[in-house]
Short mmCIF file of all heavy atoms in Angstrom, two decimals:
data_model
loop_
_atom_site.label_atom_id
_atom_site.label_comp_id
_atom_site.label_asym_id
_atom_site.label_seq_id
_atom_site.Cartn_x
_atom_site.Cartn_y
_atom_site.Cartn_z
N ALA A 71 96.61 125.60 100.70
CA ALA A 71 96.28 126.64 101.56
C ALA A 71 97.59 127.35 102.20
O ALA A 71 97.67 128.52 102.10
CB ALA A 71 95.44 126.17 102.68
N ASP A 72 98.50 126.43 102.62
CA ASP A 72 99.63 127.02 103.20
C ASP A 72 100.52 127.97 102.22
O ASP A 72 100.99 128.89 102.58
CB ASP A 72 100.58 125.98 103.61
CG ASP A 72 100.09 125.18 104.96
OD1 ASP A 72 99.05 125.73 105.48
OD2 ASP A 72 100.59 124.14 105.48
N MET A 73 100.63 127.56 100.96
CA MET A 73 101.43 128.26 100.00
C MET A 73 100.56 129.34 99.39
O MET A 73 101.09 130.12 98.54
CB MET A 73 101.82 127.31 98.88
CG MET A 73 102.89 126.27 99.41
SD MET A 73 103.65 125.25 98.12
CE MET A 73 104.93 126.48 97.47
N LYS A 74 99.23 129.38 99.71
CA LYS A 74 98.31 130.48 99.16
C LYS A 74 98.29 130.43 97.74
O LYS A 74 98.33 131.46 97.00
CB LYS A 74 98.62 131.87 99.75
CG LYS A 74 98.53 131.93 101.27
CD LYS A 74 98.86 133.38 101.72
CE LYS A 74 98.49 133.55 103.20
NZ LYS A 74 99.22 132.60 104.14
N LEU A 75 98.23 129.27 97.05
CA LEU A 75 98.28 129.16 95.65
C LEU A 75 97.13 129.92 94.99
O LEU A 75 97.40 130.48 93.86
CB LEU A 75 98.37 127.71 95.19
CG LEU A 75 99.58 126.77 95.83
CD1 LEU A 75 99.42 125.48 95.30
CD2 LEU A 75 100.82 127.41 95.49
N ALA A 76 95.97 129.86 95.58
CA ALA A 76 94.78 130.38 94.87
C ALA A 76 95.06 131.90 94.77
O ALA A 76 94.45 132.55 93.86
CB ALA A 76 93.60 130.06 95.68
N ASP A 77 95.65 132.54 95.69
CA ASP A 77 95.96 134.05 95.76
C ASP A 77 96.85 134.34 94.58
O ASP A 77 96.84 135.56 94.07
CB ASP A 77 96.62 134.44 97.04
CG ASP A 77 95.75 134.39 98.26
OD1 ASP A 77 94.57 134.10 98.04
OD2 ASP A 77 96.20 134.47 99.32
N HIS A 78 97.57 133.37 93.88
CA HIS A 78 98.50 133.72 92.88
C HIS A 78 98.04 133.18 91.66
O HIS A 78 98.78 133.09 90.49
CB HIS A 78 99.93 133.10 93.11
CG HIS A 78 100.48 133.68 94.45
ND1 HIS A 78 101.22 134.91 94.42
CD2 HIS A 78 100.44 133.36 95.68
CE1 HIS A 78 101.66 135.19 95.57
NE2 HIS A 78 101.17 134.23 96.32
N GLY A 79 96.76 132.63 91.45
CA GLY A 79 96.23 132.38 90.15
C GLY A 79 95.90 130.78 89.99
O GLY A 79 95.58 130.21 88.99
N TYR A 80 96.12 129.88 90.97
CA TYR A 80 95.97 128.53 91.02
C TYR A 80 94.38 128.47 90.86
O TYR A 80 93.56 128.87 91.64
CB TYR A 80 96.29 127.84 92.22
CG TYR A 80 95.90 126.43 92.36
CD1 TYR A 80 96.60 125.43 91.77
CD2 TYR A 80 94.83 126.03 93.16
CE1 TYR A 80 96.18 124.08 91.84
CE2 TYR A 80 94.45 124.69 93.37
CZ TYR A 80 95.12 123.76 92.68
OH TYR A 80 94.74 122.45 92.70
N ARG A 81 93.89 127.59 89.71
CA ARG A 81 92.60 127.30 89.42
C ARG A 81 92.45 125.96 88.85
O ARG A 81 93.21 125.73 87.91
CB ARG A 81 92.03 128.50 88.61
CG ARG A 81 90.56 128.36 88.21
CD ARG A 81 90.07 129.52 87.48
NE ARG A 81 88.69 129.29 86.94
CZ ARG A 81 88.23 129.57 85.78
NH1 ARG A 81 89.01 130.15 84.85
NH2 ARG A 81 86.98 129.31 85.36
N VAL A 82 91.51 125.25 89.33
CA VAL A 82 91.15 124.00 88.73
C VAL A 82 89.77 123.82 88.37
O VAL A 82 88.85 124.12 89.14
CB VAL A 82 91.55 122.81 89.79
CG1 VAL A 82 91.32 121.42 89.10
CG2 VAL A 82 93.01 122.90 90.02
N ILE A 83 89.45 123.50 87.19
CA ILE A 83 88.12 123.20 86.73
C ILE A 83 87.76 121.70 86.71
O ILE A 83 88.52 120.90 86.21
CB ILE A 83 87.94 123.74 85.13
CG1 ILE A 83 88.30 125.23 85.23
CG2 ILE A 83 86.50 123.46 84.70
CD1 ILE A 83 88.23 125.80 83.78
N GLU A 84 86.74 121.42 87.45
CA GLU A 84 86.38 119.91 87.67
C GLU A 84 85.84 119.38 86.29
O GLU A 84 85.14 120.05 85.51
CB GLU A 84 85.23 119.86 88.77
CG GLU A 84 85.64 120.37 90.07
CD GLU A 84 84.52 120.61 91.05
OE1 GLU A 84 83.68 119.74 90.98
OE2 GLU A 84 84.51 121.67 91.62
N ARG A 85 86.11 118.08 86.13
CA ARG A 85 85.56 117.36 85.10
C ARG A 85 84.00 117.29 85.46
O ARG A 85 83.62 116.75 86.59
CB ARG A 85 86.07 115.95 84.98
CG ARG A 85 87.57 115.96 84.75
CD ARG A 85 88.11 114.46 84.57
NE ARG A 85 89.43 114.19 84.66
CZ ARG A 85 90.13 113.10 84.67
NH1 ARG A 85 89.41 111.96 84.59
NH2 ARG A 85 91.41 113.09 84.73
N PRO A 86 83.10 117.55 84.41
CA PRO A 86 81.69 117.27 84.62
C PRO A 86 81.37 115.78 85.00
O PRO A 86 80.48 115.49 85.66
CB PRO A 86 81.10 117.67 83.19
CG PRO A 86 82.18 117.54 82.28
CD PRO A 86 83.32 117.83 83.05
N ILE A 87 82.04 114.82 84.19
CA ILE A 87 82.02 113.47 84.65
C ILE A 87 83.37 112.92 84.83
O ILE A 87 84.37 113.59 84.23
CB ILE A 87 81.19 112.53 83.61
CG1 ILE A 87 81.87 112.71 82.22
CG2 ILE A 87 79.80 112.93 83.58
CD1 ILE A 87 81.24 111.74 81.22
N SER A 88 83.68 111.86 85.41
CA SER A 88 85.08 111.47 85.75
C SER A 88 85.59 110.85 84.51
O SER A 88 86.55 111.34 83.94
CB SER A 88 84.99 110.38 86.75
OG SER A 88 84.59 110.79 88.02
N ASN A 89 85.06 109.75 83.84
CA ASN A 89 85.49 109.08 82.80
C ASN A 89 84.41 108.66 81.70
O ASN A 89 83.22 108.48 82.08
CB ASN A 89 86.30 107.73 83.24
CG ASN A 89 87.55 108.05 83.95
OD1 ASN A 89 88.24 109.14 83.66
ND2 ASN A 89 87.81 107.26 84.87
N PHE A 90 85.03 108.47 80.52
CA PHE A 90 84.02 108.05 79.42
C PHE A 90 84.66 106.76 78.73
O PHE A 90 85.92 106.91 78.38
CB PHE A 90 83.88 109.12 78.40
CG PHE A 90 83.42 108.77 77.07
CD1 PHE A 90 82.07 108.23 76.91
CD2 PHE A 90 84.19 108.99 75.95
CE1 PHE A 90 81.64 107.94 75.59
CE2 PHE A 90 83.66 108.78 74.66
CZ PHE A 90 82.48 108.12 74.59
N LEU A 91 84.07 105.69 78.69
CA LEU A 91 84.67 104.42 78.15
C LEU A 91 83.82 104.01 76.92
O LEU A 91 82.76 103.28 77.11
CB LEU A 91 84.62 103.42 79.18
CG LEU A 91 85.68 103.41 80.41
CD1 LEU A 91 85.10 104.41 81.52
CD2 LEU A 91 86.07 102.10 80.91
N PRO A 92 84.34 104.16 75.82
CA PRO A 92 83.79 103.52 74.58
C PRO A 92 83.74 102.10 74.67
O PRO A 92 84.76 101.51 75.22
CB PRO A 92 84.50 104.05 73.35
CG PRO A 92 85.15 105.28 73.91
CD PRO A 92 85.42 105.03 75.34
N GLN A 93 82.74 101.34 74.23
CA GLN A 93 82.83 99.91 74.37
C GLN A 93 82.87 99.23 73.06
O GLN A 93 82.64 99.81 71.89
CB GLN A 93 81.48 99.39 74.98
CG GLN A 93 81.34 99.76 76.50
CD GLN A 93 82.57 99.13 77.37
OE1 GLN A 93 82.60 97.97 77.47
NE2 GLN A 93 83.33 99.98 77.96
N GLU A 94 83.29 98.01 72.93
CA GLU A 94 83.60 97.30 71.63
C GLU A 94 82.39 97.01 70.92
O GLU A 94 82.36 96.80 69.58
CB GLU A 94 84.39 96.03 71.87
CG GLU A 94 85.69 96.22 72.46
CD GLU A 94 86.44 94.85 72.87
OE1 GLU A 94 85.72 93.96 73.25
OE2 GLU A 94 87.65 94.86 72.76
N ASP A 95 81.18 96.99 71.48
CA ASP A 95 79.89 96.68 70.76
C ASP A 95 79.19 97.94 70.33
O ASP A 95 78.17 97.96 69.70
CB ASP A 95 79.01 96.05 71.71
CG ASP A 95 78.54 96.77 72.99
OD1 ASP A 95 79.01 97.95 73.04
OD2 ASP A 95 77.78 96.24 73.75
N GLY A 96 79.96 99.12 70.39
CA GLY A 96 79.46 100.38 69.97
C GLY A 96 78.83 101.23 70.98
O GLY A 96 78.40 102.34 70.73
N GLY A 97 78.62 100.69 72.22
CA GLY A 97 78.10 101.44 73.32
C GLY A 97 79.09 102.27 74.01
O GLY A 97 80.20 102.23 73.53
N TYR A 98 78.72 102.75 75.06
CA TYR A 98 79.65 103.55 76.05
C TYR A 98 79.06 103.53 77.46
O TYR A 98 77.96 103.32 77.74
CB TYR A 98 79.82 104.90 75.53
CG TYR A 98 78.64 105.74 75.47
CD1 TYR A 98 78.22 106.55 76.65
CD2 TYR A 98 77.79 105.80 74.39
CE1 TYR A 98 77.11 107.22 76.71
CE2 TYR A 98 76.62 106.67 74.38
CZ TYR A 98 76.30 107.38 75.52
OH TYR A 98 75.16 108.08 75.66
N LEU A 99 80.05 103.80 78.37
CA LEU A 99 79.72 104.04 79.75
C LEU A 99 80.38 105.34 80.34
O LEU A 99 81.41 105.51 79.89
CB LEU A 99 80.29 102.83 80.51
CG LEU A 99 79.97 102.70 82.02
CD1 LEU A 99 79.99 101.29 82.59
CD2 LEU A 99 80.99 103.49 82.84
N LYS A 100 79.58 106.02 80.97
CA LYS A 100 80.05 107.24 81.60
C LYS A 100 80.11 107.09 83.10
O LYS A 100 79.21 106.53 83.73
CB LYS A 100 79.13 108.53 81.31
CG LYS A 100 79.05 108.97 79.84
CD LYS A 100 78.20 110.19 79.76
CE LYS A 100 78.14 110.68 78.32
NZ LYS A 100 77.24 111.86 78.11
N LEU A 101 81.15 107.46 83.65
CA LEU A 101 81.32 107.26 85.14
C LEU A 101 81.44 108.56 85.77
O LEU A 101 82.24 109.51 85.35
CB LEU A 101 82.66 106.45 85.41
CG LEU A 101 82.93 106.14 86.90
CD1 LEU A 101 81.97 105.26 87.49
CD2 LEU A 101 84.41 105.72 87.04
N GLY A 102 80.73 108.85 86.92
CA GLY A 102 80.65 110.23 87.51
C GLY A 102 79.49 111.11 87.29
O GLY A 102 78.56 110.71 86.50
N GLY A 103 79.62 112.24 87.78
CA GLY A 103 78.45 113.26 87.66
C GLY A 103 77.43 113.09 88.73
O GLY A 103 76.40 113.45 88.64
N GLY A 104 77.79 112.33 89.82
CA GLY A 104 76.82 112.08 90.86
C GLY A 104 76.36 110.54 90.95
O GLY A 104 76.45 109.95 89.84
N LEU A 105 76.14 110.02 92.08
CA LEU A 105 75.71 108.77 92.28
C LEU A 105 74.54 108.26 91.37
O LEU A 105 74.61 107.23 90.72
CB LEU A 105 75.26 108.43 93.77
CG LEU A 105 74.81 107.13 94.06
CD1 LEU A 105 75.87 106.04 93.74
CD2 LEU A 105 74.39 106.89 95.54
N GLU A 106 73.44 109.00 91.32
CA GLU A 106 72.34 108.69 90.59
C GLU A 106 72.56 108.63 89.05
O GLU A 106 72.13 107.62 88.36
CB GLU A 106 71.09 109.52 90.78
CG GLU A 106 70.56 109.51 92.26
CD GLU A 106 69.37 110.44 92.41
OE1 GLU A 106 69.01 111.14 91.49
OE2 GLU A 106 68.90 110.50 93.71
N ARG A 107 73.39 109.51 88.63
CA ARG A 107 73.71 109.46 87.18
C ARG A 107 74.55 108.34 86.84
O ARG A 107 74.44 107.64 85.83
CB ARG A 107 74.58 110.66 86.67
CG ARG A 107 73.67 111.91 86.58
CD ARG A 107 74.49 113.00 85.71
NE ARG A 107 74.82 112.50 84.36
CZ ARG A 107 75.62 113.14 83.54
NH1 ARG A 107 76.07 114.32 83.94
NH2 ARG A 107 75.87 112.65 82.41
#
Side-chain angles (χ1 to χ4, degrees):
D72 288 350
M73 297 187 76
K74 296 182 171 58
L75 300 184
D77 293 349
H78 297 276
Y80 171 79
R81 183 180 170 218
V82 176
I83 298 175
E84 300 162 41
R85 301 181 191 176
I87 58 174
S88 302
N89 291 328
F90 163 66
L91 288 83
Q93 293 297 299
E94 292 175 327
D95 62 2
Y98 63 85
L99 184 150
K100 292 181 180 179
L101 181 67
L105 174 61
E106 292 182 0
R107 282 197 61 188

